[in-house]
Amino acid sequence: MSTCQKTILLFVVLSLCRCCEGTSANLVANGGFEETKQGQASGWMELWTREAHCGQATLDKQVSHGGDYSARIEHRGAEDWSFNSEKRLDVKPGDLFTLQAWVKIEGTGSITIGVITYDEKGKALEWTFGGRTTTGPCNWHLLRSRFVIPRNVVKIHPRLIGYRPATVWLDDFSLVKEGNVMQMRPKDMPETLSISNATISLKLHTADATLSVTDKRTGRSWRQQSLVEGTILRGTKVADRIEMTLLHAPSAMDVQAVLQLELDHPELTVTLSAEGDLGRPLRFPNPFVTDRGTYLVVPMNEGISYPVEDKTISPMRLVAYGGHEICMAFWGVTDGGQGHMAIIETPDDAAVRIQRIDGKLCISPEFEPQHGRFGYARRLRYVFFDKGGHVAICKRYRSYAQKAGLLKTLEQKRKENPNVDLLIGAVNAWCWERDALAIVRQMKSAGIERILWSHRRPPEVVKAMNEMGGILTSRYDIYQDLMDTNIVKEKLRGLHPDWTQAGWPNDIMLDEKGDWRKGWRVRGKDGNMYPCGVLCDKQALKYAKQRVPNELKTHPYRCRFIDTTTASPWRECYHPDHPMTRGDSRHWKTELLRYMSEEMKLVTGSETGHDAAVPYVHYFEGMLSLGPYRVPQAGRNMIKVWDEVPERVAKFQVGHKYRLPLWELVYHDCVVAQWYWGDYNNKLPALWDKRDLFNILYGTPPMFMFNRQIWTKNKARFAESYKNVCPVARAVGYAEMTDHRLLTPDRNVQQTVFSNGITVTVNFGDKPYRLPDGKQVKPMDYHVSGM
C-alpha cells in the first residue's frame, strides 16, 4: 500500500487525495470540441443570451488550448449568457466531482463554470453550484472547481455562463467523478462525540454534523437539524474540546472546526478555519430546531421578535455587516424565560438565515468569502439561558460588547464634548423652510425647548440658533454618492452639493467583475433613473478633511449628520489602487465618524445604525424604524404624509406584539435612537399616538418633519408630542435600560426600567390596566414613576 493510500485511509479528513483525479472518464461529452455536427460542437446546446440576437457560439480552428478546435463565444450584450452541455447527469448525495475548463477572454466580461442542481421534481435548486469565476481580459487560464453533491440533488447540468460584452474561448471542459465522500469516512468514526462542563453537555452527531446541547440546570435539550452542505470526515475529542474536519460541499474544501465549552459557563464556542477559495458562503453550524411557543430574537434595527409558528413571516437572509439588516451581531431563541443565543464574534463577512423546519422558524449563520477566499478564522459563541428571556440575551451581548471595546456611554462622550447634552431629550426637526429662525421661535413659544435642527442654514442663522439656547445646530452630509461625469453633462439637471464628484473615476468602488458599484438612483431630465457610483470607503476621509474644517470656520455647527455610512453595508472593493475587504470597509467607515466626533468635536449622527460605530457617534437616525417595514420609497418623498396605513407598517413597524427594544437594552446609554426621516412621528397621522408611546417606552426622542403649512396646521399636536415624550427621553437619556417586561400575555402592556430608578409603563391595548400600586393606566396611555 502506497503512502498516499494510507493517508487517505487515516487522514482523509485533512486532505482529499488529488492523485486519483482524472482516472474516471470525462462525463461531459465532447469537452474538447473535436466532434462536430453540421459545423457546430456536438454535445452542446445553442448559446442562450438574455438579450435577443446578441451572441453566437462557433468552433474556432485558429485558437485552441488542446487539440484542433475550441468553442468561441462572441457576446455583444450588456447582460448574461449561458453555454450548456446537452445532457443532465444523474448524481447521488456525497458524490465528489472535479469540474475544470481552460478559458481565454478578450474584453472585460466575466465568465463562470459551474453546474445547475436539480431535485427529484426537476426544480432547479442552484444555478451556479460549484462555480468558479474569472474576469477578462486574460490569456488561457484554468478554472477549476471541486464540489460535493448535497442532499436533495439528483441531477446536475454542467455549463459556462458569462456577463457583459466579451469574446470567450472555451476548451478542455471536463467533469470527473472522484468518488463518494461517505465512503471516504473512517470506518471506526464514532456516531457521537461528547464533552461537558458544570452547566451544559454537548454532543456532536458525526453522521449529519449536528449538535445537541442539554442544560444541566433545567434538563432542557436543544437539537440541531442538518441543513448544511457538508460532511464530517474526521472527529476526535481532545481534552475539553472536539476537533473535526468538515468537507464543505460546494467547494470540496476541508474546514477545520473546533468546538469548545467555556469552563463552568453555559457557553460553547465554534471556530472555523480553512485555506483556499470559497466559492459560496459556508453555512455552518446547523440551526437548532425551535419549539412551539418560542420566538426568534432578531436585532433588526431596534429589534423584533418572530413567533416561530407565525405563518406570515417569510424566510429571509440578513447580513451582519450593515445597518439595514442586523445591526448587532447576535440572534436568539426563547420562550420568554429559557433559551439560547449566538454571538457572531467575526461579523464582517457573516449573515443569518431565517427559514423553516417542520413549519417552525429557525435561524442559523453563514460565513461569506473574503475576496473570494476563506480568509481568517470565523468564530461563533452559543450561550444557553435558564431564565431571563430576551433581556438576558441582550445583557449577555452588552457584556460581550464591553469587552470588545464597543461600549462607550453618552456620559463619557459628554465629558469630551459638552454639546452632547443638547442632544439628550431634543426633538429631531427636519424643515426646509428658508425662514428657519421664525419657525424655531414659534416652536419655542409652543413649549418645544430642546431641538436638534438638522437642515443646513447660512452662518448668521446657525449663530443665532446657537445663541437661543437649547438648539443643537446640524446639517446633512454624505460621503458615498458621486455620479459619472458623462451622465451629469448629458442627463441631469444638476449636482447634489455634497456629492464627492472629484472622486470620479479614480476613487470609486469596483466590484469583483471590475464594474463600478451602483448606489443611489436619481431621476434625469428624460425621466429615467440613473445610478450614482459609490465612493470607496478608504478614500472618503480625505474628502471630509477637505470639506469640514473649512466650513466650520464660517458655519459654527455643533453637530453633523453623515448619511448612509452605517446604513449601507460594508463592501469589498477590487480597485487596484485602493482594494478593500469588508473589514477594511468597516474600519474606514468608523474612522470617518471618529474624525467627525473626536477631531472636529461635532455631535455626530449617522443613518440607521450599527454597533461597530457606537464608540464614535451620538445618535442614529433610523434605528427605531425597522428597515423592511417602512412605507414604500420612504427615502424619496420624505415629507409626503400617508393617510392610509400599509398593513406591514401597522403590523410590524408599530406592532407591539412583534417589536422589542433590543438596541435600548444594549446601548440606550451610549447612543440616542431615532426614527428614520421617511418614517417619523407625524408621517402617518393615524399612528402618531402609537409612535409617541414607543418613544416614551424606549426613552427616545421623537422626530418631526414639516414645512410651514404642516407646522401651522399641526402646531398644537407637535407641542403635545414633544411635551409627552421629551421629558421622559431627557430624564433617562444617560441611563441604561435594565429591563423590559411584557406585563400581559398579549403584550398589550409593557414596561421598561432604567438604571436611574425610572420605570415606564405603556398600555397599547383597548382596556385599562391596573399596576400593583393601584395606579390605572388607560388604553393608549402611559405612566412614569421615579421622575
Side-chain angles (χ1 to χ4, degrees), residues 88-230:
R88 298 183 183 181
L89 306 173
D90 294 328
V91 294
K92 295 179 180 179
D95 285 348
L96 172 64
F97 290 95
T98 295
L99 175 69
Q100 66 180 39
W102 285 89
V103 294
K104 176 181 177 179
I105 308 174
E106 288 183 358
T108 58
S110 64
I111 59 171
T112 301
I113 61 167
V115 299
I116 308 172
T117 58
Y118 297 92
D119 64 14
E120 60 184 7
K121 295 181 180 180
K123 178 183 177 182
L125 301 175
E126 297 280 350
W127 294 99
T128 55
F129 188 76
R132 287 295 182 271
T133 300
T134 192
T135 302
C138 68
N139 209 335
W140 284 110
H141 176 73
L142 178 65
L143 286 178
R144 185 176 183 277
S145 168
R146 302 178 79 226
F147 56 87
V148 178
I149 300 301
R151 295 186 309 157
N152 303 324
V153 173
V154 300
K155 287 183 181 292
I156 59 174
H157 196 173
R159 64 176 183 160
L160 174 77
I161 63 174
Y163 175 70
R164 296 193 311 167
T167 300
V168 177
W169 287 266
L170 172 67
D171 207 353
D172 299 329
F173 190 105
S174 68
L175 178 71
V176 175
K177 180 180 176 181
E178 297 184 34
N180 190 288
V181 296
M182 300 306 295
Q183 300 169 356
M184 299 177 183
R185 287 162 48 96
K187 303 291 186 184
D188 59 350
M189 182 180 291
E191 292 184 4
T192 62
L193 292 166
S194 301
I195 54 176
S196 66
N197 65 15
T199 55
I200 59 174
S201 61
L202 166 70
K203 187 177 292 184
L204 168 67
H205 304 268
T206 61
D208 59 3
T210 61
L211 307 177
S212 58
V213 176
T214 298
D215 190 328
K216 296 179 181 180
R217 299 164 298 179
T218 63
R220 186 166 186 169
S221 294
W222 290 269
R223 173 70 191 266
Q224 292 180 345
Q225 180 164 318
S226 179
L227 295 180
V228 302
E229 302 135 348

Side-chain angles (χ1 to χ4, degrees), residues 393-429:
I393 288 171
C394 288
K395 292 309 174 184
R396 178 60 185 91
Y397 186 76
R398 180 179 168 95
S399 175
Y400 165 78
Q402 187 167 21
K403 290 182 179 179
L406 297 176
L407 204 73
K408 185 176 182 180
T409 67
L410 287 163
E411 187 65 51
Q412 292 172 299
K413 295 171 184 177
R414 182 179 67 171
K415 291 177 181 178
E416 297 173 355
N417 182 355
N419 287 329
V420 170
D421 193 59
L422 293 170
L423 176 69
I424 307 304
V427 59
N428 189 344

Side-chain angles (χ1 to χ4, degrees), residues 530-547:
Y530 295 93
C532 290
V534 175
L535 182 71
C536 182
D537 298 313
K538 187 182 288 188
Q539 307 301 94
L541 185 57
K542 69 179 181 182
Y543 292 99
K545 289 182 176 180
Q546 293 168 9
R547 178 182 297 173

Side-chain angles (χ1 to χ4, degrees), residues 248 302 321 337 472 685 773:
H248 181 230
E302 176 64 48
Y321 49 83
L472 181 60
D773 64 0

